Amino acid sequence: MTLPATFVIDSPGDAARAAELRRVKLLATSVLAATFAIFLAARTLLPLHPVFGFIAAFAEAATIGGLADWYAVVALFKRPLGLPIPHTAIIQSNQHRIADKLGEFIEKHFLEAAPVEAKLRQIDFGAFIADWLRDHKRSEDLARFALRLLPEAVAATETSGLMTFVSRRITAQLMAIDLAPLAAGTLRAFVKEGRHSGLLDDILRAVHQTMTQAETMAMIREKIRAELPTLLKLYRADKFLVNKIVASATAFFEEVRNDPAHPFRGEFDRMVLTFVDRLGTDPSYAERIQGLKRDLLARPELAGLARHIWANARSFFERSASGETQVLEQYLVRMFVKAGEALAGDAELRTEINQGLVTVLRTVIAEQKSGVSTFISDQVKSWDMGQLISLIEINIGRDLQYIRFNGSLIGGLAGLALYTLEYLLRLL
């Protein structure tokens, strides 16, 4: 079973802690050996003077305390002296139970809805996003990242059949639109705003300019000349009639254009409104518009135009991704920076973003916390406990070794106190 790379002891800090652990272990063992040696020497010298009894009691208890704590520290991780003593190598023996309890503990105490929501509400996601986007360098990196993905996204779109699906859906949606009521409503709003009066003025102006052109007058004259009797042609009646018609028409156009209350304008309004009403209610009009729409959508030129536009867009995306053109990248950078600046100045929007992200993340964590617990448990179960224990010892073993010093000191003092009590009782 392979240990995760994070457990590899290869940093200078790990090496220094390992060396310090070895030093403290050697010192603790030396203290244990020293107390045992003092005990032996004191017991030997006890006949010479009663004080050696106190020294021997202290050293004996200190040795026992040191041994007991050495056993306790070693038994937490390993089997003392490699002997199969019950209730030793506690961590190794309970790896699966520890893994399950650790996962359960994290799920209950770290991933509960209340503390998770409280912690999420402390984070200003909106401000973070705004500051991130306002940084020009970060926006450039984001734009380049998006552009690198564009060609792959385009290729995936083409090969996945998504384009065909989208084009069919768009066509279906366009076919489902009833254009007659839509056109009628648009025209009715157009008339209500009085914009049709301007359109009438433009039409009258265009007709006036057309009729006063030499080419138009020549064409009308030829038409009239062809219809006139031969006798009138000799008196150039055609020219007279053309001039009269043009003069009358232009005079009429000028009257309508200059008089907002001209009766012709009222007739034009009624004509337009009548057309709008028929457009919205007459089935024949609706059928004609639907027919025009079907004919337009069925024309192969439209599909060819769509393919041509898509090919140009794909080429532009590829050139932008390769760096051949910087237009799209610069546009994206400006867009991201402006979005960040706008977000920074909109406290209400930042609040909405924060609330939305808190709701989403809270829901995700609530739905996935059991999975997180299981993941942690499975990970701990898969660890190489031998290497993991070595890592734990390196990081906290130095403090555990001081338990041995404390054991020797406390044990020695306890032994000295008991021996002193015993000595005093013997004197009585």
Side-chain angles (χ1 to χ4, degrees), residues 116-293:
V116 166
E117 182 174 354
K119 184 62 179 178
L120 290 175
R121 291 195 179 279
Q122 295 176 4
I123 305 173
D124 192 346
F125 296 101
F128 173 79
I129 295 172
D131 293 339
W132 200 94
L133 289 175
R134 284 192 297 173
D135 187 284
H136 197 272
K137 178 63 171 58
R138 289 173 176 169
S139 289
E140 285 182 348
D141 294 339
L142 180 59
R144 282 194 288 268
F145 174 75
L147 288 177
R148 283 197 298 269
L149 295 181
L150 264 181
E152 297 181 6
V154 170
T157 300
E158 292 177 341
T159 57
S160 64
L162 181 61
M163 285 297 298
T164 303
F165 172 78
V166 171
S167 62
R168 289 177 179 174
R169 290 293 300 170
I170 292 175
T171 303
Q173 291 296 323
L174 290 175
M175 290 299 297
I177 297 175
D178 191 355
L179 290 181
L182 180 62
T186 303
L187 289 175
R188 189 171 286 107
F190 188 78
V191 173
K192 185 177 181 180
E193 295 173 1
R195 297 169 64 183
H196 67 299
S197 298
L199 177 62
L200 176 60
D201 292 337
D202 292 339
I203 293 174
L204 294 175
R205 187 180 299 108
V207 173
H208 177 271
Q209 292 174 352
T210 302
M211 291 189 67
T212 55
Q213 290 178 354
E215 296 84 354
T216 306
M217 294 182 67
M219 183 180 65
I220 297 174
R221 182 178 180 184
E222 288 297 325
K223 184 68 176 176
I224 293 174
R225 186 178 181 84
E227 299 293 333
L228 286 175
T230 304
L231 180 60
L232 294 179
K233 294 178 183 178
L234 296 175
Y235 292 97
R236 303 178 63 84
D238 55 336
K239 183 178 181 181
F240 173 78
L241 290 174
V242 168
N243 293 335
K244 191 66 175 176
I245 291 171
V246 171
S248 298
T250 53
F252 176 74
F253 294 155
E254 285 298 321
E255 289 178 6
V256 175
R257 289 172 56 192
N258 295 327
D259 185 3
H262 196 281
F264 181 77
R265 289 185 178 275
E267 291 296 328
F268 181 74
D269 291 349
R270 284 190 292 273
M271 180 185 68
V272 172
L273 290 174
T274 300
F275 173 74
V276 170
D277 291 338
R278 292 192 62 184
L279 183 62
T281 58
D282 194 333
S284 62
Y285 276 82
E287 182 57 33
R288 290 176 187 175
I289 294 176
Q290 288 296 104
L292 289 173
K293 181 178 67 175

Side-chain angles (χ1 to χ4, degrees), residues 237-414:
D238 55 336
K239 183 178 181 181
F240 173 78
L241 290 174
V242 168
N243 293 335
K244 191 66 175 176
I245 291 171
V246 171
S248 298
T250 53
F252 176 74
F253 294 155
E254 285 298 321
E255 289 178 6
V256 175
R257 289 172 56 192
N258 295 327
D259 185 3
H262 196 281
F264 181 77
R265 289 185 178 275
E267 291 296 328
F268 181 74
D269 291 349
R270 284 190 292 273
M271 180 185 68
V272 172
L273 290 174
T274 300
F275 173 74
V276 170
D277 291 338
R278 292 192 62 184
L279 183 62
T281 58
D282 194 333
S284 62
Y285 276 82
E287 182 57 33
R288 290 176 187 175
I289 294 176
Q290 288 296 104
L292 289 173
K293 181 178 67 175
R294 285 193 296 267
D295 294 341
L296 178 62
L297 293 177
R299 292 196 63 83
E301 293 88 348
L302 190 61
L305 177 62
R307 287 193 296 270
H308 179 69
I309 294 174
W310 177 253
N312 289 339
R314 180 180 59 191
S315 175
F316 178 65
F317 293 155
E318 291 174 350
R319 289 187 290 112
S320 299
S322 64
E324 183 178 344
T325 174
Q326 303 291 325
V327 175
L328 185 56
E329 178 181 336
Q330 292 173 359
Y331 173 78
L332 289 176
V333 172
R334 289 195 300 271
M335 182 184 71
F336 291 147
V337 171
K338 288 182 179 179
E341 292 173 349
L343 182 59
D346 193 336
E348 184 178 352
L349 180 57
R350 292 199 308 274
T351 301
E352 291 179 0
I353 291 175
N354 290 338
Q355 291 176 348
L357 286 175
V358 167
T359 301
V360 171
L361 293 175
R362 180 187 61 198
T363 303
V364 170
I365 293 173
E367 292 176 350
Q368 301 298 326
K369 66 178 183 178
S370 61
V372 173
S373 172
T374 303
F375 172 77
I376 294 173
S377 176
D378 292 341
Q379 285 295 105
V380 174
K381 291 176 183 177
S382 68
W383 288 345
D384 184 327
M385 292 304 292
Q387 295 186 46
L388 177 60
I389 286 172
S390 297
L391 182 64
I392 294 174
E393 281 193 301
I394 286 175
N395 285 276
I396 65 172
R398 179 176 179 273
D399 295 322
L400 292 176
Q401 293 303 314
Y402 279 99
I403 295 177
R404 297 172 60 184
F405 292 117
N406 294 335
S408 296
L409 178 61
I410 299 301
L413 292 175

